[in-house]
Amino acid sequence: MNRLMELGLHTDFYQLTMMNGYFMAGKHRQQAVFDMYYRENPCGNGYCVMAGLEQALDYIHSLRFTDDDIGYLRSFGLFNDSFLQMLKTFRFSGSIKAVPEGTFIFPNEPIVQVKGSLFEVQLIETALLNIISHQTLIATKAARVVKAADGKAVLEFGSRRAQGIDAALYGARAAYIGGCVATSNVLAAKMFGIPARGTHAHSWVQSFESELEAFRMYAEHYPDNCVLLVDTYDTLRSGVPNAIIVGKELRERGYDLGGIRLDSGDIAYLSKQARKMLDEAGFHNTAIVASNNLDEYVIAHLHLQNAKVDTYGVGTHLITAEDCPSLGCVYKMVAIEKNGVFHPKIKISENTSKISTPAVKRLVRLFDKASNLAIADLIMCEEEELDESRPLEIFDPIETWKRKTLTNYTYSDLLVPMIENGVKVYSSPSLQQIQERTREQFTLFSEEVTRLTNPHIYYVDLSEKLWRLKQEMIHAQHFR
Amino acid sequence: MNRLMELGLHTDFYQLTMMNGYFMAGKHRQQAVFDMYYRENPCGNGYCVMAGLEQALDYIHSLRFTDDDIGYLRSFGLFNDSFLQMLKTFRFSGSIKAVPEGTFIFPNEPIVQVKGSLFEVQLIETALLNIISHQTLIATKAARVVKAADGKAVLEFGSRRAQGIDAALYGARAAYIGGCVATSNVLAAKMFGIPARGTHAHSWVQSFESELEAFRMYAEHYPDNCVLLVDTYDTLRSGVPNAIIVGKELRERGYDLGGIRLDSGDIAYLSKQARKMLDEAGFHNTAIVASNNLDEYVIAHLHLQNAKVDTYGVGTHLITAEDCPSLGCVYKMVAIEKNGVFHPKIKISENTSKISTPAVKRLVRLFDKASNLAIADLIMCEEEELDESRPLEIFDPIETWKRKTLTNYTYSDLLVPMIENGVKVYSSPSLQQIQERTREQFTLFSEEVTRLTNPHIYYVDLSEKLWRLKQEMIHAQHFR
């Protein structure tokens, strides 16, 4: 089943009243450009990991209104009949550029650029924000957890606590992009080709007369990589000793004890004690898996305490991004066509950070040739060119006295064509490739940008031309 | 499209390895009983609003494994072939009792009771927790926001910030159960029969040469209940004056100005100023709608400041339950059948609050006959009877010296049969009826239980018999 089908009405009601209004005003074919961006990194992070694009494109590609949808809209007695007729044959015919999944993105830069008729660019706003905000948030949270785990494997275990079914499925996808090595959700594993992981629950142990019998039975059927949950009754007095007994029996059969899982209590203490018990019994290769309300902070502290954990199962905090469960993506009109020419548009606000940046844009990432590290992102007007052979002065768009001249740099464009005039021109990489891209990003940014706490604020600057345009438009608006 | 179909694999991998293990051990037909409950109210609230049951039952009802699913499972090389054959014809054949949607529920009481073969009760755990936890959380958050709005209408506006598509759709349903009067999501409105609401965005205003022209055009096409967004450029100097001009023009046409919407800035100040301007121009009936990062605390403070807001549009904080984005529902085995008799089961933990309560249970709500208010919930063994004509002593299960004798009480059973031996025996009420039930709950509990901050902790007690059973089982486990 495709969960991205039949979503014509998955939009805010005002998108439809505006579409109808544009239609009535004869403006629906007028072209416009919208930017999608976010204003602040979540969880105190220094970046976000772009994710969800593939699903957003699938949604747009299959965007239709069924007869049933049209009938429902008609029942409001609010929509023009010719407008409703037009919806029947609606297909998205605009163009979309976006930053590929797995790329690091930063506040206030356009991560998706939509060009098309007012009619269609308005319609897709809600679903686009909904899908990309969600996955980008979870991929970012996952990247933080994986960073904290410092090389130890992180498993995504959060399905039961996710905010609905899609949050579990697409959350697992996003977590994998962020660096998790597997998910517990079998459907997500199947849909996206993610490794599935899991062993048994407390109920398995409870269903047998004794813990030892339960372990024995599990080992009998799953001798390969047998991981036993040791905290149903008493971790150190019952669980670990029983696991060791079963481990010895496994060895007699030519197998080994794959691991034990700790799911409650003091993980730092229990993991060290369990490691000692396992080692003393000769089970040096038996892994210790820990779960139970973990997040990047708990994991970092477990490392500080020299906890003996080999694999982390992370659920609730990852799948909901518990401490920052929304990414405030917005979608703003930045240009509108009149007589074939695009005119920049701005949205003013009392709150300076909420003033949008006008114009159709180009987004480039600047790299230092000596270190190969990213220096800054530069937002330019679409038509601006960049000449690497000449020095480039960049400056902070608010504190404009903060300036820097780059002489030995290179750049890459971040906005890649995805859909052109309604036709998909981008073939999404595999999920493994996207995960690999995320991993690679860590080598392109300095440790100061990617650290978990109080990261360096990565520069996102405007070109001189774009900065001037924005200032002029603010003044024109404010002093008219 | 039914989003609850083809979800056989929407489960944790370990459920399937356990199912296969039970099958191999010849235990899969053994009957067991599981309780679903949560341990702590979210957001510092005094209760939760049960929600999501209809979808959980739909999921169970349509639970199947496709050939494709089976093929995928086979590819692991881990599952017994007869087991996979059995999955082909799998249908849920167990029985489920649950607390009806819209009912207030409390920590540690069974809100869903599942009885069936080990095979099937294990399989449904993940999706059951996923679906019911999500909707219960959002319904509860909505009830808090609606309570803070104190009679003013609350609109659910959160689709774009929801954690995926289902979170937007089913979140809108849950928000309606919690007391919201409408949603902005058109698909949710259509799926669940919720009123859809919304007018226009900043982009509408930006797409015209001037704000006044944009307002005029909107009013031309939507003269009935015309609500104008007044903060695109400058709320008090441009937006409200332009809205008043258009309001006067509407009156000349025999209509009125329905409302204005404030979406940024100081809502308390702006709403009072706008109210004054509207009143002075004779627009006493024009409503003021406020949105922009609202939650129950902001709304309560707006009331304290005498803000002149008639309707609240609440997005991000409601649809994600921003300050408490997960409800820690759990699903624990409480009894297992042996030779036709159910034996109670317990899960011990170092952490007292994580020790489960054993046995197949009955859950009743006790009401004071004089005040008609709920006094306490009582968890009993299933076979226990209650005689209202005799005094009933209840006591705190931890601080057992806290006792109370009820003499003038009545009760009602909370666990209602939903599915019996695989057959649905419950017909879900309409969503309107469920919302009405939530509204009614506020009259059944004292204000001390339903207030937003530091609520009274409502009593959830165990019967003497159940309490003794639990103690005995803890001791037997601990001192064996």
Side-chain angles (χ1 to χ4, degrees):
Chain A
M1 198 193 63
N2 186 336
R3 305 186 69 80
L4 302 167
M5 299 276 286
E6 296 187 24
L7 293 176
L9 297 186
H10 176 44
T11 190
D12 287 304
F13 193 67
Y14 75 3
Q15 315 285 13
L16 290 163
T17 53
M18 283 192 282
M19 284 171 77
N20 183 61
Y22 289 136
F23 179 83
M24 303 283 279
K27 281 167 66 81
H28 58 292
R29 295 273 172 241
Q30 193 176 355
Q31 298 285 299
V33 179
F34 279 67
D35 281 354
M36 173 172 172
Y37 57 98
Y38 68 93
R39 297 190 183 113
E40 205 180 327
N41 286 317
C43 314
N45 208 41
Y47 61 90
C48 272
V49 179
M50 182 73 178
L53 191 59
E54 187 175 342
Q55 283 66 45
L57 298 177
D58 282 353
Y59 149 78
I60 288 169
H61 191 70
S62 51
L63 193 48
R64 306 275 184 281
F65 292 90
T66 64
D67 289 345
D68 203 50
D69 291 341
I70 310 266
Y72 174 70
L73 291 178
R74 185 170 286 119
S75 71
F76 285 92
L78 204 60
F79 299 102
N80 177 280
D81 207 63
S82 304
F83 166 75
L84 293 177
Q85 285 299 327
M86 182 173 279
L87 285 190
K88 277 194 185 182
T89 54
F90 176 88
R91 298 289 183 275
F92 182 82
S93 65
S95 299
I96 293 182
K97 287 182 183 175
V99 180
E101 295 188 275
T103 311
F104 281 5
I105 52 176
F106 298 91
N108 300 310
E109 61 188 25
I111 55 174
V112 182
Q113 181 192 78
V114 182
K115 189 184 281 192
S117 66
L118 269 176
F119 201 74
E120 59 196 357
V121 292
Q122 200 69 72
L123 174 66
I124 64 172
E125 173 179 11
T126 310
L128 216 58
L129 291 172
N130 178 209
I131 293 169
I132 294 177
S133 292
H134 169 233
Q135 286 197 43
T136 298
L137 174 68
I138 303 304
T140 306
K141 182 71 176 179
R144 288 176 60 78
V145 174
V146 168
K147 171 103 180 158
D150 197 22
K152 307 287 184 185
V154 177
L155 314 174
E156 188 284 301
F157 271 4
S159 281
R160 61 190 60 194
R161 302 287 165 78
Q163 296 197 347
I165 297 166
D166 284 340
L169 299 174
Y170 297 106
R173 178 184 188 272
Y176 188 77
I177 289 176
C180 290
V181 302
T183 178
S184 64
N185 190 297
V186 190
L187 184 53
K190 182 187 172 210
M191 286 168 74
F192 308 118
I194 305 172
R197 285 280 289 276
T199 56
H200 70 82
H202 298 117
S203 54
W204 173 268
V205 177
Q206 287 176 288
S207 84
F208 291 87
E209 287 296 318
S210 72
E211 188 179 55
L212 185 57
E213 187 191 342
F215 285 180
R216 277 194 176 125
M217 203 57 95
Y218 197 83
E220 185 179 322
H221 299 302
Y222 301 106
D224 264 332
N225 194 26
C226 176
V227 180
L228 301 170
L229 176 62
V230 293
D231 73 330
T232 304
Y233 301 118
D234 189 315
T235 302
L236 299 179
R237 292 199 289 173
S238 166
V240 178
N242 282 332
I244 289 172
I245 292 171
V246 171
K248 287 177 180 166
E249 292 168 0
L250 273 167
R251 286 194 170 168
E252 283 166 22
R253 292 165 59 202
Y255 297 96
D256 204 351
L257 180 61
I260 61 166
R261 180 159 72 96
L262 305 170
D263 188 42
S264 62
D266 187 319
I267 301 289
Y269 172 76
L270 293 174
S271 69
K272 282 187 262 192
Q273 294 300 314
R275 182 75 273 156
K276 214 167 138 192
M277 292 163 77
L278 288 167
D279 285 349
E280 282 171 9
F283 289 93
H284 301 280
N285 294 324
T286 297
I288 297 180
V289 185
S291 49
N292 188 25
N293 269 321
L294 301 178
D295 65 13
E296 64 269 44
Y297 303 104
V298 175
I299 290 174
H301 278 271
L302 285 172
H303 281 237
L304 282 176
Q305 296 166 81
N306 280 312
K308 301 297 182 193
V309 177
D310 302 288
T311 299
Y312 295 99
V314 185
T316 313
H317 289 274
L318 169 51
I319 205 70
T320 62
E322 183 97 8
D323 58 339
C324 49
S326 67
L327 177 66
C329 280
V330 296
Y331 183 82
K332 295 290 172 193
M333 182 188 286
V334 294
I336 191 159
E337 169 261 348
K338 216 175 161 182
N339 305 322
V341 181
F342 278 97
H343 298 273
K345 278 280 170 180
I346 194 166
K347 151 88 181 79
I348 303 290
S349 174
E350 298 288 307
N351 184 333
T352 312
S353 71
K354 280 194 166 187
I355 297 177
S356 65
T357 300
V360 187
K361 304 179 186 73
R362 181 180 175 190
L363 175 64
V364 299
R365 182 152 295 166
L366 306 169
F367 294 91
D368 179 42
K369 270 188 181 170
S371 67
N372 284 322
L373 289 178
I375 309 162
D377 284 2
L378 186 64
I379 311 174
M380 307 188 291
C381 297
E382 192 182 32
E383 66 279 7
E384 281 187 87
E385 295 289 345
L386 211 53
D387 181 355
E388 290 160 294
S389 68
R390 298 177 56 183
L392 173 69
E393 189 183 51
I394 57 174
F395 62 97
D396 185 289
I398 307 293
E399 293 164 319
T400 54
W401 49 269
K402 290 186 181 170
R403 288 174 178 264
K404 189 172 190 175
T405 299
L406 311 182
T407 49
N408 187 34
Y409 75 98
T410 181
Y411 71 90
S412 67
D413 272 279
L414 294 184
L415 289 171
V416 174
M418 300 279 155
I419 294 180
E420 280 179 2
N421 302 317
V423 179
K424 207 170 159 186
V425 294
Y426 181 78
S427 63
S428 286
S430 74
L431 199 63
Q432 282 67 28
Q433 288 170 318
I434 297 173
Q435 189 191 58
E436 181 51 40
R437 186 193 291 269
T438 306
R439 196 176 295 124
E440 186 195 62
Q441 300 290 298
F442 283 98
T443 67
L444 300 178
F445 289 84
S446 73
E447 166 72 21
E448 286 70 31
V449 172
T450 61
R451 70 182 171 217
L452 294 182
T453 310
N454 295 333
H456 172 75
I457 295 168
Y458 181 76
Y459 302 122
V460 176
D461 295 341
L462 305 184
S463 71
E464 181 83 28
K465 182 175 177 181
L466 184 54
W467 184 84
R468 284 197 187 283
L469 174 70
K470 182 172 180 175
Q471 297 307 312
E472 282 162 18
M473 290 188 74
I474 293 172
H475 283 263
Q477 198 61 56
H478 215 70
F479 302 107
R480 76 207 162 117
Chain B
M1 198 194 64
N2 186 337
R3 304 186 69 79
L4 303 167
M5 299 275 286
E6 296 187 27
L7 293 176
L9 297 186
H10 176 44
T11 189
D12 288 304
F13 193 66
Y14 75 3
Q15 314 285 13
L16 290 162
T17 52
M18 282 191 282
M19 284 170 77
N20 183 61
Y22 289 137
F23 179 82
M24 304 281 279
K27 280 168 65 83
H28 57 292
R29 296 273 172 241
Q30 193 177 356
Q31 299 284 301
V33 179
F34 279 67
D35 281 353
M36 173 174 173
Y37 57 98
Y38 68 95
R39 297 190 182 114
E40 205 179 328
N41 286 315
C43 313
N45 209 41
Y47 61 91
C48 272
V49 178
M50 180 74 178
L53 191 60
E54 189 175 340
Q55 282 68 43
L57 297 176
D58 283 354
Y59 149 77
I60 289 169
H61 191 70
S62 51
L63 193 49
R64 306 275 185 282
F65 293 89
T66 65
D67 288 345
D68 204 48
D69 292 341
I70 309 267
Y72 175 70
L73 291 179
R74 183 168 290 121
S75 71
F76 285 92
L78 204 59
F79 299 102
N80 177 281
D81 208 65
S82 306
F83 167 76
L84 293 177
Q85 285 298 328
M86 182 174 278
L87 284 189
K88 278 196 184 181
T89 54
F90 176 87
R91 300 289 182 274
F92 183 81
S93 65
S95 299
I96 293 181
K97 287 181 182 178
V99 180
E101 294 189 276
T103 311
F104 282 5
I105 52 177
F106 298 89
N108 301 311
E109 60 188 26
I111 57 175
V112 182
Q113 181 192 79
V114 181
K115 189 184 282 190
S117 65
L118 268 176
F119 200 74
E120 60 195 357
V121 293
Q122 200 70 70
L123 174 65
I124 65 172
E125 172 179 11
T126 310
L128 215 60
L129 291 172
N130 179 210
I131 294 170
I132 294 177
S133 291
H134 169 234
Q135 286 198 44
T136 298
L137 175 67
I138 304 303
T140 305
K141 183 71 175 178
R144 287 176 61 79
V145 173
V146 168
K147 170 101 182 163
D150 197 24
K152 308 286 184 186
V154 177
L155 314 174
E156 188 284 299
F157 272 4
S159 282
R160 63 190 59 194
R161 302 287 166 79
Q163 296 196 348
I165 297 168
D166 284 340
L169 299 174
Y170 298 106
R173 178 184 188 270
Y176 188 77
I177 290 176
C180 289
V181 303
T183 178
S184 64
N185 189 297
V186 190
L187 185 52
K190 181 186 172 213
M191 285 168 73
F192 308 118
I194 305 172
R197 284 281 289 277
T199 57
H200 69 82
H202 299 117
S203 54
W204 174 268
V205 176
Q206 288 176 288
S207 84
F208 291 88
E209 288 295 317
S210 72
E211 187 179 55
L212 185 57
E213 188 192 342
F215 285 179
R216 276 195 177 123
M217 203 55 95
Y218 197 82
E220 186 179 322
H221 300 300
Y222 301 106
D224 265 332
N225 193 27
C226 176
V227 180
L228 300 170
L229 177 61
V230 292
D231 73 330
T232 304
Y233 300 118
D234 188 315
T235 302
L236 299 178
R237 290 199 290 173
S238 167
V240 178
N242 281 333
I244 288 172
I245 291 171
V246 171
K248 287 176 179 165
E249 292 168 1
L250 273 167
R251 283 193 173 169
E252 284 167 20
R253 293 165 61 202
Y255 296 96
D256 205 349
L257 180 61
I260 61 166
R261 179 159 74 97
L262 306 170
D263 188 42
S264 61
D266 187 319
I267 300 289
Y269 172 75
L270 293 174
S271 69
K272 282 185 261 191
Q273 295 298 316
R275 182 75 271 157
K276 215 168 138 191
M277 292 164 76
L278 288 167
D279 285 349
E280 282 170 8
F283 289 93
H284 301 282
N285 294 325
T286 296
I288 297 179
V289 184
S291 48
N292 188 24
N293 269 321
L294 301 177
D295 66 12
E296 64 269 43
Y297 302 104
V298 175
I299 291 174
H301 278 272
L302 286 172
H303 281 237
L304 281 176
Q305 296 166 82
N306 279 313
K308 300 298 182 192
V309 177
D310 302 289
T311 299
Y312 295 99
V314 185
T316 312
H317 290 273
L318 169 49
I319 205 68
T320 61
E322 184 96 9
D323 58 340
C324 48
S326 68
L327 177 67
C329 280
V330 296
Y331 183 82
K332 295 289 172 194
M333 182 188 287
V334 295
I336 191 159
E337 170 261 348
K338 216 174 160 183
N339 303 323
V341 181
F342 279 97
H343 297 273
K345 278 281 172 180
I346 193 165
K347 152 88 181 79
I348 302 291
S349 173
E350 298 289 306
N351 184 334
T352 312
S353 71
K354 282 195 163 185
I355 297 176
S356 65
T357 300
V360 187
K361 305 179 185 74
R362 181 180 175 189
L363 174 64
V364 299
R365 183 151 294 165
L366 305 169
F367 295 92
D368 178 43
K369 269 188 180 168
S371 67
N372 284 322
L373 289 177
I375 310 163
D377 285 3
L378 186 64
I379 310 174
M380 306 187 294
C381 296
E382 191 180 34
E383 66 279 8
E384 282 187 87
E385 294 291 343
L386 211 53
D387 181 356
E388 289 159 295
S389 68
R390 297 177 58 183
L392 173 69
E393 189 182 51
I394 58 175
F395 62 97
D396 187 288
I398 306 293
E399 292 162 321
T400 53
W401 48 270
K402 289 187 181 171
R403 288 173 178 263
K404 190 174 188 173
T405 300
L406 311 181
T407 49
N408 187 32
Y409 76 98
T410 181
Y411 71 89
S412 67
D413 271 278
L414 294 184
L415 289 171
V416 175
M418 300 279 154
I419 294 179
E420 281 180 0
N421 301 319
V423 180
K424 207 171 158 187
V425 294
Y426 181 76
S427 64
S428 285
S430 73
L431 199 62
Q432 282 67 28
Q433 288 171 319
I434 297 172
Q435 188 192 58
E436 181 53 40
R437 186 194 292 265
T438 306
R439 196 177 295 122
E440 188 195 62
Q441 300 290 298
F442 283 97
T443 67
L444 299 178
F445 288 85
S446 73
E447 166 70 22
E448 286 70 31
V449 171
T450 62
R451 70 183 173 216
L452 294 181
T453 310
N454 295 333
H456 172 75
I457 295 167
Y458 181 77
Y459 301 122
V460 176
D461 295 342
L462 305 183
S463 71
E464 181 82 27
K465 182 175 176 180
L466 183 54
W467 183 86
R468 283 195 187 282
L469 174 69
K470 184 172 180 176
Q471 298 306 313
E472 283 163 17
M473 291 187 73
I474 294 172
H475 282 263
Q477 198 60 56
H478 217 69
F479 302 106
R480 79 209 159 112

